[in-house]
Amino acid sequence: MPDPGNPVEQPDAAQFPLLPQLTLDCIILGFHEDQLRVLLLRWKDTQEWSLPGGPVRQNESVDAAAHRILKERTGLDQLFLQQFHVFGDVVRYNREEIKKKLKHVIDPEKWYERAVSIGYYALVDYSKVSPTPDAFTEECQWWDIKNIPQLLFDHNHIITVALQALRIQLSWQPIGYNLLPEEFTMPELQRLYETILGRTLDPRNFHRKIQGLGIVERLETRRKGGAHKAPYLYRFNKAQYEAMLTEGNLSFS
Amino acid sequence: MPDPGNPVEQPDAAQFPLLPQLTLDCIILGFHEDQLRVLLLRWKDTQEWSLPGGPVRQNESVDAAAHRILKERTGLDQLFLQQFHVFGDVVRYNREEIKKKLKHVIDPEKWYERAVSIGYYALVDYSKVSPTPDAFTEECQWWDIKNIPQLLFDHNHIITVALQALRIQLSWQPIGYNLLPEEFTMPELQRLYETILGRTLDPRNFHRKIQGLGIVERLETRRKGGAHKAPYLYRFNKAQYEAMLTEGNLSFS
């Protein structure tokens, strides 16, 4: 019989009672060397990987729990964090297989029969993250999104759904703040979009679209070093960017 | 001490054990006489209204619970149903006030200290709905979205967030199927969009935009009865409509 107060033997469960049968899973995405990367954890004494996540405490909001988990894994505050889906099937994965694989870390009697998971994705500045494992894992590492291993639980599925949500979000919200350095070139922004969408875009159309949204402003300076035709640097217009985050790109005028 | 197995004295709780501290709230929207309307329930022996909703059973998925609740309240299967937000604050409303107001229906000892709610909205064909109250309520009725009373719990807030999500969805997904009759005129579709967006749209731009999406096809017939210049009838192109529901309106080419 699983202990409903203590799903995964959280070290601080006595101090922080938990919401039963509810967990979060976090897709933490960074952009580096033209790759979209996701932060994964390797469980102790195994070659098994999973997404970061964990339960919600009785005394914190669901969003606060997501921020806490992200802070613990990355060291970062104030991430761009988005709920994208609730994974609520009765049977989400083969529980017996998981209990067996992780029995040296978690007592098989201590798992819930079922947990509902709320999925969040976070877009972070790759260079500022200090990847940090949790109590059950010994390694926290970036993986190229195109090269994810077979993960524990239903976490490959969760990543697939997160990327669908992110692609749809691209069509009505700006993206890039947090993922790019403060100053960037138009080709760099385009590569970020192409990486998320998984296809190439026409540079002229892309430039026109982004300029039309009013979310970037061109600086007087160009990317240093090298070619005569070095590309201009841009930065986000934070006010317009924030407005679009709230309003969306309502294209009916 | 609240009984964690029986948050609101569900009549069939013994038969169907529940996921503790988790509920659904459903915004069921219909379109009638140029009004967007929402289905509300009046609690027994009160003038207090709330959204339909309820707990999730241990043996059903979260989505199945939403479908079950919607079927019970409307009589309809196969509704367009969309998760839009998890309401997860520690304190969502004044619990003592609620316990007092509803104590003749629910034993004040039987409430959870806290519940997380998953919000769904459904778009339905107004004419096909048979509004039906649940075990705690005695009336189920359509309300004009512009004229909602002060509701119990945090349900006014939940409706506000649902409408924001629906408006954003309009900018990347088609809407109208389920909300309009099978055949409709372009002005009727435009009034639906205007009602949801809360502002008027230019007819020529609207027509061009909708045609550009390829989601409607013009029929040979015109709206019967009356004027010489009766408007053409349209219907949705279901294949294109479904494709856009999945893909979104990715406006980068």
Side-chain angles (χ1 to χ4, degrees):
Chain A
M1 180 63 192
D3 170 1
N6 192 11
V8 280
E9 295 185 328
Q10 297 293 314
D12 48 9
Q15 196 180 347
F16 300 110
L18 304 175
L19 279 173
Q21 296 187 263
L22 188 71
T23 61
L24 305 186
D25 285 302
C26 300
I27 291 84
I28 305 174
L29 297 166
F31 190 62
H32 185 63
E33 292 178 349
D34 287 357
Q35 284 181 350
L36 192 64
R37 300 187 183 191
V38 61
L39 213 52
L40 298 177
L41 297 168
R42 185 169 58 75
W43 286 66
K44 281 179 182 165
D45 302 317
T46 72
Q47 291 304 316
E48 304 283 353
W49 295 79
S50 77
L51 289 168
V56 180
R57 297 173 183 168
Q58 291 283 6
N59 69 351
E60 72 187 349
S61 74
V62 172
D63 285 349
H67 278 285
R68 174 177 53 77
I69 291 166
L70 287 163
K71 168 105 194 213
E72 288 168 0
R73 299 287 76 73
T74 65
L76 296 182
D77 282 318
Q78 301 195 321
L79 302 172
F80 177 83
L81 197 57
Q82 178 90 31
Q83 278 179 17
F84 68 92
H85 192 69
V86 176
F87 297 88
D89 282 354
V90 178
V91 177
R92 289 171 44 210
Y93 46 82
N94 187 329
R95 301 186 64 75
E96 294 312 312
E97 195 183 299
I98 293 286
K99 287 182 187 175
K100 213 159 128 185
K101 275 185 180 165
L102 303 180
K103 67 177 189 298
H104 62 293
V105 191
I106 295 175
D107 179 347
E109 301 295 309
K110 295 288 175 86
W111 290 86
Y112 288 126
E113 285 309 303
R114 175 186 177 191
V116 170
S117 178
I118 304 172
Y120 280 83
Y121 59 76
L123 307 178
V124 304
D125 183 342
Y126 179 90
S127 67
K128 291 190 181 144
V129 171
S130 311
T132 308
D134 65 17
F136 307 115
T137 56
E138 58 184 342
E139 193 179 357
C140 183
Q141 193 185 280
W142 290 105
W143 286 73
D144 179 1
I145 201 87
K146 289 197 210 112
N147 210 7
I148 304 288
Q150 182 64 42
L151 302 177
L152 292 169
F153 315 106
D154 52 353
H155 288 184
N156 293 85
H157 171 64
I158 290 179
I159 290 176
T160 300
V161 177
L163 289 178
Q164 281 169 353
L166 185 58
R167 284 176 190 139
I168 282 171
Q169 197 194 339
L170 269 194
S171 70
W172 62 268
Q173 273 195 339
I175 273 181
Y177 200 82
N178 288 330
L179 276 175
L180 290 175
E182 197 175 338
E183 299 181 357
F184 50 86
T185 65
M186 199 53 76
E188 284 164 358
L189 182 61
Q190 181 175 340
R191 277 199 294 276
L192 171 64
Y193 272 74
E194 289 178 333
T195 305
I196 294 175
L197 292 174
R199 57 193 168 89
T200 57
L201 302 169
D202 174 73
R204 216 171 318 185
N205 284 347
F206 180 78
H207 200 124
R208 195 182 307 128
K209 175 88 184 179
I210 292 293
Q211 294 256 302
L213 297 178
I215 56 171
V216 297
E217 46 200 31
R218 201 176 79 176
L219 305 175
E220 291 304 306
T221 47
R222 294 167 185 259
R223 170 71 76 219
K224 272 176 207 152
H228 184 64
K229 274 281 231 177
Y232 273 107
L233 286 168
Y234 289 78
R235 71 174 166 217
F236 287 108
N237 175 328
K238 198 69 197 303
Q240 179 66 13
Y241 190 100
E242 295 285 347
M244 279 196 58
L245 279 185
T246 315
E247 303 288 328
N249 171 23
L250 294 181
S251 38
F252 293 97
S253 57
Chain B
M1 180 66 191
D3 169 1
N6 191 11
V8 281
E9 293 184 330
Q10 297 292 314
D12 49 9
Q15 196 181 347
F16 300 109
L18 304 174
L19 279 174
Q21 294 188 264
L22 187 69
T23 61
L24 305 187
D25 285 303
C26 300
I27 292 84
I28 304 174
L29 297 165
F31 190 62
H32 185 64
E33 291 178 349
D34 288 357
Q35 284 181 349
L36 191 64
R37 300 188 183 191
V38 62
L39 213 51
L40 297 178
L41 297 167
R42 185 169 58 75
W43 286 67
K44 282 178 180 167
D45 301 318
T46 72
Q47 292 303 316
E48 304 284 351
W49 296 79
S50 76
L51 289 168
V56 180
R57 297 173 184 169
Q58 291 283 7
N59 69 351
E60 71 186 351
S61 73
V62 172
D63 285 350
H67 277 285
R68 174 177 54 76
I69 290 165
L70 288 163
K71 168 104 194 215
E72 288 168 359
R73 300 287 76 72
T74 65
L76 297 182
D77 282 317
Q78 302 195 319
L79 302 171
F80 177 83
L81 197 57
Q82 179 90 32
Q83 279 180 15
F84 67 93
H85 193 69
V86 176
F87 298 88
D89 282 355
V90 178
V91 178
R92 289 172 43 210
Y93 46 82
N94 186 329
R95 302 186 64 76
E96 294 313 312
E97 196 183 298
I98 293 284
K99 287 182 188 177
K100 213 159 128 184
K101 275 185 181 167
L102 303 180
K103 67 177 190 299
H104 62 295
V105 191
I106 295 175
D107 179 349
E109 301 295 309
K110 295 288 175 84
W111 290 87
Y112 288 125
E113 284 310 301
R114 175 186 177 190
V116 170
S117 179
I118 303 171
Y120 280 83
Y121 59 78
L123 308 178
V124 304
D125 183 342
Y126 179 90
S127 68
K128 293 191 179 142
V129 171
S130 311
T132 308
D134 66 17
F136 307 115
T137 57
E138 57 184 343
E139 192 178 358
C140 183
Q141 194 184 280
W142 290 106
W143 285 74
D144 179 1
I145 202 87
K146 289 197 209 110
N147 209 8
I148 304 288
Q150 182 65 43
L151 303 177
L152 293 170
F153 314 105
D154 52 353
H155 288 184
N156 292 87
H157 171 63
I158 289 179
I159 290 176
T160 301
V161 176
L163 289 177
Q164 282 169 352
L166 184 59
R167 283 176 191 138
I168 282 171
Q169 197 192 340
L170 268 194
S171 71
W172 62 270
Q173 273 194 339
I175 273 182
Y177 200 82
N178 289 330
L179 276 175
L180 289 175
E182 197 175 339
E183 298 181 358
F184 50 86
T185 65
M186 200 53 76
E188 284 164 358
L189 182 61
Q190 181 175 340
R191 277 201 293 277
L192 170 64
Y193 272 74
E194 289 178 334
T195 304
I196 295 174
L197 292 173
R199 58 193 167 86
T200 57
L201 302 170
D202 175 71
R204 215 171 321 186
N205 284 345
F206 180 78
H207 200 125
R208 194 182 307 126
K209 174 89 184 178
I210 292 293
Q211 293 256 303
L213 297 178
I215 57 171
V216 296
E217 45 201 31
R218 202 176 78 175
L219 304 175
E220 290 305 306
T221 47
R222 292 167 185 260
R223 169 71 75 220
K224 274 177 205 151
H228 186 64
K229 274 282 231 175
Y232 273 106
L233 287 168
Y234 290 78
R235 70 173 167 218
F236 287 108
N237 175 328
K238 198 68 198 303
Q240 179 65 14
Y241 190 100
E242 294 286 347
M244 280 196 57
L245 279 184
T246 315
E247 302 289 326
N249 172 22
L250 295 181
S251 39
F252 292 98
S253 55

